[in-house]
Amino acid sequence: MSSNDAILAQVVALMTDLKASQSALSAKVDEYQRDTSATLNALQQRVGEVVLPAFDPAASTPNLKPYKVHAYDNQRIDDDYVEGATDPAKVAPASPLLLPKAASVSVSPSVSTSKLAPIYTSRIVLTTYPGQAGVTPIPLKWGDKDPRVRGPIIASRLPSSIKLRNATGAHGGSYSIYRALAIAIRELDANHVPDLHNTEPVVKIGPHPAWSDPEKIVSIDPWGHEVKDVYAKELKDGLDIRPTIAITKAHMKLMEVEDLVKRGKLNVDGKIVVNKQGDLMVTKGAVEPVWYLPGIAKRFEVDETTLRRALFEDTGGMYPELITRPDLKVFLPPIGGLSIYIMGNPDYLSDPTKKLTLRIHDECNGSDVFGSDICTCRPYLIFGIEEAVKTAQEGGVGLIVYFRKEGRALGEVTKYLVYNARKRAEGGDTAAAYFLRTENIAGVKDMRFQATMPDVLHWLGIQKIDKMISMSNMKYDAIVGSGIPILERVPIPADMLPPDSQVEIDAKVASGYFSHSQAPIDLATTKGRTWTGSPD
């Protein structure tokens, strides 16, 4: 072999070795990329989780009953695999809850809660993400006329439901915090699921055409009172589906109504006014809010992303999944709900041939319960009840809707701060500065925002309102704007105004509230009394 051939052979051998090295390197790079990708995917699924030091289940628990050992205890508690969609026996505990039932025990004051057996695992699930392993929300088609196609609302974080949830938030509205407290102090089993036997409504409500219109009802679940029946199979299969509406019957006793009976202004008929003491027979319901976020955003003319961000930020980041789970379109907000009181036949609410009298009332604890005379709230509520009863006794139906929107949804603390500012104002408590005092403290004069208020009327199937007991243009405009005509508006009678409420009435009439009378030209002349008992 010549020297040239030898050199060429060496070059070929080197190129062959280089090619083999490149192939090996490429394979190694591909392996590293796969490993990196898998690591990043795993990290993404865990980015919303915090691992804390593990509790010691063997910690001493003197005088307390231990938790029962459960078969799932030996499984990986961070397992993301969910084998069956609705079979609780096949669902791995992909939840921060320990699956063993928490024994209901009374905690002695001498026993430190730090020594109690743990309720939760050491893993905190802050949030989940669309497409995360095992996360398969129950399909939800808001506004479908078939409740099975629409799908149940699942908000529970119990092991059988946490990866099937199709809603953010918690049942019970603001009362969900008390539930959490009861669990923390071992008064409530963290795994408790309501027994719905015999809880069904006492009267049938709906379905009505508005239930299948995804834009007519966006703030309550139209099927929230029918859970036990329409989702019986899902409940039997182990899904934690909870009613958000309950309907019952009761006698209602108010001293003002008793007085109306004694004065002959209301008649005892044995059906609605049942006796001379003025006891009223009513059908009543309680409704918890269930928000369909795309519908809420459209109703308030904002984009859904901004709505979600505002709800997240101004609840102190309480619900991260408002941000991380855009696929979850339903939110159970931590706010108060509403109550309905029906005088007369509930079927008449949806019958346009029957006369309907309505009072929409926003909560005012100081007046409604304790009789404060600085506002017109309780007298107006009583007047609404009186007119509702009269309409029912004349063959129609009366309806009171009571919203938990204390202090114009500003809250009672803010309301009382405003009272202080009004009474201490230079020049006295005047109608001229009535709204200004609220704006100075709250930044806005009213946060009731009646855009979603008509939803409950559509849920009840109401097609027209013959008599509305209200001066509020916001309420009137919201109802009429939603497609329900109002034939007559009735302001509070002058002889029912409490002693210190003229400031409120004159300020509201001057600002455009409905009234048959005129406000004074100079609102500064309308003054409320001081704390010592008389106007300045």
Side-chain angles (χ1 to χ4, degrees):
M1 180 183 293
S2 66
S3 59
N4 288 338
D5 291 340
I7 292 172
L8 180 60
Q10 289 178 353
V11 170
V12 170
L14 288 172
M15 291 181 65
T16 301
D17 290 343
L18 179 60
K19 185 175 181 181
S21 297
Q22 287 178 331
S23 297
L25 178 61
S26 177
K28 204 68 176 175
V29 168
D30 288 344
E31 181 182 351
Y32 286 151
Q33 286 180 336
R34 286 193 299 270
D35 290 345
T36 301
S37 178
T39 301
L40 287 175
N41 287 338
L43 178 61
Q44 182 183 20
Q45 291 189 16
R46 292 293 185 267
V47 73
E49 301 165 4
V50 178
V51 178
L52 300 180
F55 292 105
D56 179 10
S60 175
T61 55
N63 302 321
L64 297 177
K65 295 169 65 177
Y67 291 107
K68 295 180 181 178
V69 177
H70 194 283
Y72 283 138
D73 284 359
N74 295 324
Q75 297 184 13
R76 289 179 59 224
I77 56 177
D78 62 342
D79 189 355
D80 274 332
Y81 179 65
V82 177
E83 185 174 336
T86 57
D87 184 354
K90 296 182 179 180
V91 178
S95 164
L97 269 179
L98 283 175
L99 267 179
K101 271 199 165 186
S104 179
V105 296
S106 298
V107 180
S108 169
S110 63
V111 177
S112 170
T113 55
S114 64
K115 295 182 179 180
L116 296 174
I119 299 172
Y120 306 101
T121 71
S122 61
R123 173 171 170 251
I124 300 174
V125 179
L126 292 181
T127 189
T128 55
Y129 298 88
Q132 184 175 347
V135 172
T136 55
I138 297 294
L140 191 64
K141 187 178 179 182
W142 191 267
D144 196 280
K145 65 180 180 180
D146 184 340
R148 300 294 300 279
V149 175
R150 198 294 300 271
I153 303 295
I154 308 291
S156 170
R157 287 171 61 90
L158 290 180
S160 62
S161 301
I162 189 169
K163 292 199 171 183
L164 306 176
R165 290 178 308 140
N166 53 22
T168 302
H171 285 286
S174 58
Y175 294 100
S176 62
I177 303 300
Y178 288 104
R179 173 184 168 86
L181 180 60
I183 291 171
I185 64 175
R186 272 57 172 193
E187 288 291 329
L188 175 63
D189 180 350
N191 295 287
H192 175 73
V193 176
D195 179 354
L196 300 180
H197 179 63
N198 282 340
T199 62
E200 56 270 14
V202 297
V203 297
K204 183 173 178 57
I205 301 293
H208 296 294
W211 292 20
S212 57
D213 185 337
E215 295 187 1
K216 284 290 187 186
I217 300 177
V218 299
S219 64
I220 61 179
D221 175 10
W223 300 99
H225 59 310
E226 297 281 4
V227 162
K228 179 178 176 291
D229 293 328
V230 298
Y231 300 120
K233 180 183 182 300
E234 288 81 357
L235 286 166
K236 184 178 179 181
D237 287 342
L239 281 182
D240 183 11
I241 310 170
R242 306 194 180 193
T244 55
I245 301 174
I247 305 171
T248 187
K249 287 186 177 181
H251 281 197
M252 185 167 66
K253 188 175 184 64
L254 296 165
M255 63 179 185
E256 291 94 338
V257 175
E258 182 178 3
D259 182 62
L260 289 170
V261 171
K262 289 179 178 178
R263 291 191 288 138
K265 297 191 69 175
L266 284 180
N267 298 319
V268 176
D269 58 14
K271 295 181 179 180
I272 299 169
V273 181
V274 297
N275 54 36
K276 293 181 179 180
Q277 288 71 46
D279 292 355
L280 301 178
M281 172 61 78
V282 298
T283 302
K284 64 179 184 178
V287 182
E288 291 177 0
V290 177
W291 287 5
Y292 177 58
L293 291 174
I296 294 287
K298 185 172 183 179
R299 192 75 63 85
F300 285 95
E301 299 181 345
V302 299
D303 64 274
E304 186 183 338
T305 300
T306 299
L307 173 64
R308 286 174 174 268
R309 181 65 183 270
L311 291 170
F312 170 75
E313 296 288 355
D314 281 275
T315 57
M318 186 181 292
Y319 298 104
E321 286 176 320
L322 286 167
I323 306 299
T324 65
R325 294 296 304 275
D327 59 316
L328 301 185
K329 298 299 184 181
V330 170
F331 176 49
L332 277 59
I335 60 175
L338 64 92
S339 302
I340 59 172
Y341 290 83
I342 304 168
M343 289 77 174
N345 189 337
D347 291 340
Y348 291 175
L349 291 170
S350 57
D351 184 346
T353 68
K354 303 297 183 180
K355 186 175 181 180
L356 168 62
T357 292
L358 168 70
R359 166 70 182 166
I360 299 287
H361 191 90
D362 293 324
E363 179 183 27
C364 177
N365 183 62
S367 177
D368 295 342
V369 178
F370 294 100
S372 170
D373 69 351
I374 198 173
C375 61
T376 62
C377 296
R378 182 178 175 93
Y380 218 163
L381 176 60
I382 296 298
F383 179 57
I385 292 171
E386 177 186 355
E387 292 299 307
V389 169
K390 287 179 178 178
T391 299
Q393 290 184 326
E394 293 167 358
V397 62
L399 174 65
I400 307 295
V401 182
Y402 192 93
F403 281 89
R404 298 313 188 285
K405 295 179 180 178
E406 176 64 58
R408 300 186 201 146
L410 301 170
E412 202 164 24
V413 169
T414 295
K415 181 166 71 171
Y416 289 4
L417 293 175
V418 171
Y419 287 168
N420 286 348
R422 284 173 54 186
K423 295 304 182 182
R424 289 174 173 146
E426 185 176 349
D429 176 17
T430 68
Y434 175 79
F435 288 114
L436 178 62
R437 301 301 176 212
T438 303
E439 291 175 325
N440 287 345
I441 295 169
V444 60
K445 66 182 181 181
D446 198 327
M447 289 201 309
R448 285 174 291 181
F449 307 132
Q450 304 291 349
T452 60
M453 174 268 291
D455 286 19
V456 66
L457 307 181
H458 289 291
W459 174 68
L460 291 167
I462 291 174
Q463 299 181 49
K464 64 104 174 69
I465 297 162
D466 295 273
K467 183 184 292 186
M468 182 174 177
I469 313 300
S470 174
M471 297 171 63
S472 170
N473 290 335
M474 288 177 64
K475 294 175 182 176
Y476 175 86
D477 292 342
I479 294 172
V480 173
S482 76
I484 301 175
I486 296 174
L487 306 185
E488 180 185 1
R489 302 171 71 182
V490 183
I492 186 171
D495 62 358
M496 295 189 72
L497 295 179
D500 201 27
S501 66
Q502 195 65 50
V503 169
E504 171 198 342
I505 287 295
D506 283 357
K508 287 182 174 180
V509 172
S511 70
Y513 276 56
F514 175 77
S515 177
H516 294 315
S517 60
Q518 298 292 322
I521 297 176
D522 184 4
L523 292 178
T525 62
T526 303
K527 290 187 177 184
R529 66 165 180 262
T530 66
W531 282 317
T532 58
S534 61
D536 289 341

